Amino acid sequence: MGRRETILACGGAGFIGSHACVVLLLKGYDVIVLDNFANARRDVLKHISKICGRKPHLIQGDIRNRACMHDVFANYRIDAVMHFAGLKSVSESVSLPWLYYDINVHGTLNLLTAMREAEVFRLIYSSSCTVYGNAEHMPLTEDCARGFTSPYGHTKLVVEDILHEFAKADTRWAISCLRYFNPLGAHKSGTIGERQLGTPSNLMPLIVQVAAGERDFLRVYGNDYPTADGTAVRDYIHVMDLVEGHLAALVYIQENEGWHAVNLGRGKGTSVLQLIGTFETAVNRSVPWEFAPRRFGDIPVCWADPTLASRLYGWAAHRSLEQMCLDAWHWQCSYLP
Ligand SMILES: NC(=O)c1ccc[n+]([C@@H]2O[C@H](COP(=O)([O-])OP(=O)(O)OC[C@H]3O[C@@H](n4cnc5c(N)ncnc54)[C@H](O)[C@@H]3O)[C@@H](O)[C@H]2O)c1
């Protein structure tokens, strides 16, 4: 039997990373998780191994630690990297920009240095639709102008550019920047999902907490956006669809060098109130909500044209909004801290 390929998942204990570990292990890859547990719990590894029947190898470490990143590549034979590690709150990035540049940009540069020294050139990077800034025309295609509305968005844009320059300078790099739209839901087992340590800033963790009675009501930020019901519109995608897109990208960069960016979305816009309504119907619970002023950095509308992912990777999201709600709720109900 041939050697299994080994994937280093930086930030692999987090929401998206943990689901990626599941699809990688089930597909026969070996996985090394490197995480500093700033926003993850250790027991996620146990849950991953319960789902898959085998465990990722764990390294507790920080991508900003040069010696640590060097040692990882010196001690393990790594074939490719999936880089999920970072901070992701738009509002927090406005008050703590230095931390966002330090972790998201400096940390990524450290990782790239260690990869280059070890001659590991295959990378999948967690980018975001935030790199389109406040775009006017929907749906968004990969060649739309980019911009940013927050320090968080700027870190994503800067890292995309750094990666592009690396790939231009050395043709051995094969880099896929996956521009995530809005991942929701959880693995169907209900044992891994999205749980922000501290106060969540993403919508679904707040919705499920309100439905479970952990919070009294949900704040809906902004009721005067130029949308049908006045609330912001996003392109929600099931996290399992999203991580299956990573598997397809991994296969693609095995054969194709260079840099490219691809949208991972469903191509459907849903307003905040529509999402709340779908959730209430799907799980048969009410979610009390109140309007609050718009948040700095939030944009009115954003949805993807996912055609390129289908053309390059043969991938398309197929899980419904209702499924995302059911799986997020199942995770909330079965999660035992
Ligand atoms: N969730 C979303 O809505 C979304 C949307 C677009 C892009 N992204 C990007 O996808 C990536 C993963 O997002 P997520 O939702 O899984 O977030 P998450 O916070 O659940 O996961 C990030 C993981 O990285 C770890 N981490 C943070 N700083 C680290 C450091 N310095 N060294 C090592 N590990 C570190 C955390 O402990 C956590 O386990 C992020 O880069 C995020 O910006 C997420």
Side-chain angles (χ1 to χ4, degrees), residues 1-322:
M1 208 177 92
R3 175 186 161 267
R4 287 178 165 144
E5 284 221 322
T6 300
I7 311 302
L8 173 67
C10 296
F15 170 44
I16 299 166
S18 58
H19 290 80
C21 288
V22 166
V23 293
L24 285 166
L25 288 166
L26 291 177
K27 201 75 190 169
Y29 291 94
D30 281 340
V31 180
I32 299 172
V33 167
L34 180 132
D35 205 295
N36 70 352
F37 293 98
N39 193 36
R41 296 173 58 110
R42 249 157 249 283
D43 59 6
V44 77
L45 276 296
K46 191 179 70 192
H47 296 308
I48 293 171
S49 83
K50 239 189 246 165
I51 297 169
C52 302
R54 63 196 184 100
K55 257 210 226 147
H57 179 74
L58 172 66
I59 299 170
Q60 178 162 358
D62 194 302
I63 53 168
R64 290 168 295 176
N65 182 330
R66 191 117 187 203
C68 165
M69 296 315 292
H70 172 85
D71 289 352
V72 170
F73 287 92
N75 294 337
Y76 300 92
R77 187 165 153 199
I78 292 163
D79 297 286
V81 176
M82 290 192 183
H83 177 26
F84 306 98
L87 302 181
K88 61 174 179 180
S89 161
V90 167
S91 53
E92 187 184 55
S93 78
V94 175
S95 48
L96 302 172
W98 45 86
L99 193 60
Y100 275 68
Y101 289 104
D102 189 33
I103 295 178
N104 292 6
V105 181
H106 164 217
T108 301
L109 268 174
N110 252 351
L111 166 65
L112 294 175
T113 303
M115 288 179 70
R116 206 161 45 77
E117 284 168 359
E119 303 200 344
V120 175
F121 292 108
R122 277 195 279 149
L123 172 68
I124 294 183
Y125 173 63
S126 300
S127 190
S128 164
C129 58
T130 189
V131 299
Y132 295 113
N134 192 356
E136 277 176 24
H137 301 292
M138 300 294 140
L140 293 158
T141 51
E142 289 78 357
D143 55 2
C144 284
R146 294 174 314 148
F148 60 92
T149 59
S150 69
Y152 168 68
H154 193 213
T155 65
K156 291 286 159 191
L157 197 138
V158 167
V159 170
E160 278 204 354
D161 287 343
I162 291 172
L163 295 174
H164 201 172
E165 295 303 331
F166 271 50
K168 279 195 259 176
D170 184 337
T171 54
R172 288 174 296 176
W173 284 100
I175 300 175
S176 171
C177 288
L178 299 181
R179 295 179 178 161
Y180 306 164
F181 280 67
N182 293 75
L184 297 185
H187 186 263
K188 62 180 182 206
S189 65
T191 56
I192 57 170
E194 182 174 18
R195 181 164 280 260
Q196 179 82 28
L197 300 182
T199 307
S201 59
N202 281 3
L203 186 55
M204 187 52 93
L206 290 165
I207 290 179
V208 293
Q209 286 181 7
V210 173
E214 288 179 24
R215 289 171 189 275
D216 293 337
F217 64 93
L218 178 76
R219 285 198 174 83
V220 175
Y221 296 103
N223 62 357
D224 56 353
Y225 286 114
T227 60
D229 62 21
T231 64
V233 167
R234 297 289 180 267
D235 184 346
Y236 296 105
I237 172 171
H238 197 295
V239 64
M240 291 305 296
D241 279 329
L242 188 84
V243 297
E244 285 165 11
H246 289 61
L247 274 187
L250 190 60
V251 171
Y252 182 83
I253 61 173
Q254 199 151 18
E255 303 292 328
N256 296 277
E257 282 153 359
W259 176 99
H260 68 280
V262 165
N263 290 339
L264 293 187
R266 279 196 317 151
K268 295 189 173 97
T270 303
S271 75
V272 176
L273 293 187
Q274 283 172 331
L275 179 63
I276 297 170
T278 305
F279 181 90
E280 289 182 322
T281 309
V283 313
N284 198 21
R285 287 254 170 169
S286 77
V287 178
W289 55 269
E290 278 181 9
F291 281 127
R294 291 182 183 196
R295 283 187 308 192
F296 179 83
D298 279 349
I299 55 167
V301 292
C302 179
W303 72 88
D305 177 338
T307 311
L308 186 63
S310 154
R311 188 152 57 76
L312 291 188
Y313 302 161
W315 168 93
H318 59 87
R319 294 170 178 88
S320 67
L321 194 64
E322 192 182 42

